[in-house]
Amino acid sequence: MSKLTASKVTIYDVAKKAGVGIGTVSRVLNNHLQVRPKTRTRVLEAITALDFKPSSVARQLSLQSQIRQIGVITQTFVNYYSFTERLRGIQQTLDKLSSDYELLLYTVSSLEHYQQQLTNIVQTRSVEGLIIIDLELSNKHLELLRDSHIPFVGINHLQTQDWPCIGTNNVEGGYLATKYLLSLGHERIAYVGDTFVEDYTHNTSRERFEGYKRALEEAGVNLSEDLVQLGKHDYDVAKQSAEKLLNLKTPPTAIFAMSDVQALGCVAAIKEKGLKVPDDISVLGYDDLDIGYHTGLSTVRQHLEESGVKGIEYLLGVLGNKKPAVPKLPSPKIIPRQTTRALN
């Protein structure tokens, strides 16, 4: 039998060479998690050996249309409501601007899983463009994506990225939040945020804390370690953090929480203590989620939905062979509502 040419290789050939069914090949091409690592490796090796052309993936999978896919990759989103806001901007804008693409979601739970997902995306070319939300790209990741020629854009928090990225500056946001509370006369200001980590995700909490610390230093206010509470990004954990703050000999007069969800956990703890917000203690969140609007939460707007809009607009421009400039978001903005007030 003569060697198959790339143009004639089908999903059936890949399945035969790998010793699996076409359903398994389909799951590997779509990065389905329910595939054993050894089986996934065998299928990917067959794809490489046969030079299977991923541009025909949609057709080979017997899809009924020629709709192409744009990938969205982010960390496993438990309690990260900001992801939903960004995704809404992406999806609504995609629906408005193009009927040629649909979204394919990838989530990652570890650095190893992240590497595996990016490798699978590149090897199978299962997407024509990629949106990366709140994940870092190492030099290895950048080289992998650039060599694949798959257009990509980040919707992240701006620091020193040397790749197309849309977002706001967390340090600036933390600074503005603390500066606002200082302007209301508060000096004993607590910070409730995520545990600082060094991994494949953006260190949002550390960056916002840096802005918090900078504003205090500028105002000549000493940073009290007992006012800094870090833990898992979770409503109940934030509530417990607030309880610890309220039990201090000298409690804070204001709390800056690194997210709206955590801020609402703090509000709940304050009310359960029999205190009033903002009469006894002010609370400021970060994100400007819908839930914050409906609960009257003072917060910092980081333009989440708009970042999704601009991200997909940029990527569609690149896919349309244009050379769009990477768009910029407005700076973070204080949104005062009913949970903050001037200290008497």
Side-chain angles (χ1 to χ4, degrees):
M1 179 177 173
S2 62
K3 186 177 180 179
L4 289 167
T5 61
S7 62
K8 295 180 180 179
V9 175
T10 69
I11 193 173
Y12 298 96
D13 299 315
V14 173
K16 182 177 180 180
K17 185 170 182 63
V20 299
I22 61 171
T24 299
V25 177
S26 172
R27 285 190 288 275
V28 171
L29 291 171
N30 284 281
N31 292 291
H32 200 290
L33 296 180
Q34 293 181 348
V35 179
R36 293 178 180 177
K38 290 184 178 179
T39 302
R40 185 186 301 276
T41 299
R42 200 160 69 245
V43 171
L44 292 174
E45 288 176 347
I47 289 171
T48 301
L50 294 174
D51 194 22
F52 179 56
K53 293 301 183 184
S55 60
S56 62
V57 166
R59 186 169 58 256
Q60 298 291 351
L61 294 179
S62 301
L63 296 177
Q64 298 303 310
S65 69
Q66 296 301 312
I67 292 178
R68 295 171 288 175
Q69 292 176 320
I70 288 175
V72 176
I73 186 167
T74 189
Q75 58 185 313
T76 303
F77 49 97
V78 179
N79 291 329
Y80 282 84
Y81 295 92
S82 59
F83 170 78
T84 304
E85 297 288 323
R86 288 180 169 126
L87 187 61
R88 179 166 57 188
I90 293 170
Q91 186 66 71
Q92 290 180 348
T93 305
L94 182 61
D95 291 344
K96 185 186 303 181
L97 297 181
S98 176
S99 60
D100 297 332
Y101 296 97
E102 64 181 8
L103 295 180
L104 180 60
L105 177 63
Y106 302 86
T107 59
V108 297
S109 56
S110 66
L111 178 58
E112 181 180 2
H113 190 201
Y114 186 26
Q115 177 67 35
Q116 181 188 68
Q117 290 283 47
L118 287 179
T119 301
N120 287 345
I121 288 169
V122 168
Q123 288 183 338
T124 64
R125 293 196 67 87
S126 50
V127 300
E128 301 211 10
L130 185 64
I131 298 175
I132 303 162
I133 299 181
D134 279 344
L135 295 171
E136 293 284 6
L137 282 180
S138 65
N139 290 335
K140 183 178 180 180
H141 294 154
L142 276 172
E143 182 179 0
L144 181 68
L145 287 174
R146 285 169 175 164
D147 288 347
S148 75
H149 301 293
I150 296 175
F152 62 95
V153 62
I155 299 180
N156 296 312
H157 304 295
L158 297 181
Q159 283 295 296
T160 58
Q161 290 93 332
D162 62 349
W163 46 285
C165 201
I166 300 165
T168 57
N169 189 311
N170 274 315
V171 177
E172 179 187 6
Y175 174 84
L176 290 175
T178 310
K179 190 81 171 176
Y180 167 68
L181 292 173
L182 287 164
S183 73
L184 295 178
H186 299 280
E187 291 191 355
R188 201 159 166 76
I189 302 169
Y191 178 77
V192 174
D194 295 355
T195 303
F196 300 156
V197 293
E198 299 291 347
D199 58 11
Y200 60 99
T201 64
H202 273 292
N203 207 326
T204 303
S205 182
R206 185 189 297 277
E207 292 174 358
R208 291 179 188 169
F209 175 77
E210 180 62 32
Y212 159 84
K213 184 170 64 173
R214 185 179 300 178
L216 292 179
E217 291 174 351
E218 185 181 279
V221 176
N222 291 328
L223 173 62
S224 300
E225 292 185 5
D226 61 349
L227 293 181
V228 179
Q229 290 289 326
L230 305 176
K232 180 182 177 183
H233 190 104
D234 181 83
Y235 174 93
D236 290 324
V237 172
K239 184 178 175 184
Q240 292 167 9
S241 293
E243 289 169 354
K244 293 177 183 178
L245 292 169
L246 296 173
N247 288 328
L248 292 173
K249 184 177 180 180
T250 307
T253 62
I255 296 176
F256 166 39
M258 68 158 279
S259 75
D260 285 353
V261 172
Q262 288 159 301
L264 291 173
C266 293
V267 170
I270 293 167
K271 290 182 177 179
E272 287 186 9
K273 188 77 171 178
L275 301 174
K276 294 182 179 180
V277 179
D279 293 352
D280 297 307
I281 184 168
S282 290
V283 178
L284 180 69
Y286 200 114
D287 284 334
D288 194 26
L289 302 177
D290 285 348
I291 192 173
Y293 170 80
H294 293 299
T295 56
L297 179 69
S298 297
T299 188
V300 180
R301 178 176 295 164
Q302 62 162 323
H303 314 285
L304 291 167
E305 186 173 338
E306 187 175 352
S307 69
V309 172
K310 290 184 179 296
I312 189 64
E313 286 178 342
Y314 171 82
L315 192 58
L316 289 174
V318 175
L319 289 170
N321 294 318
K322 300 175 183 177
K323 295 183 179 180
V326 179
K328 295 182 178 180
L329 286 179
S331 295
K333 180 181 179 181
I334 300 295
I335 307 296
R337 295 194 180 108
Q338 287 79 54
T339 60
T340 51
R341 73 174 184 90
L343 187 65
N344 292 333

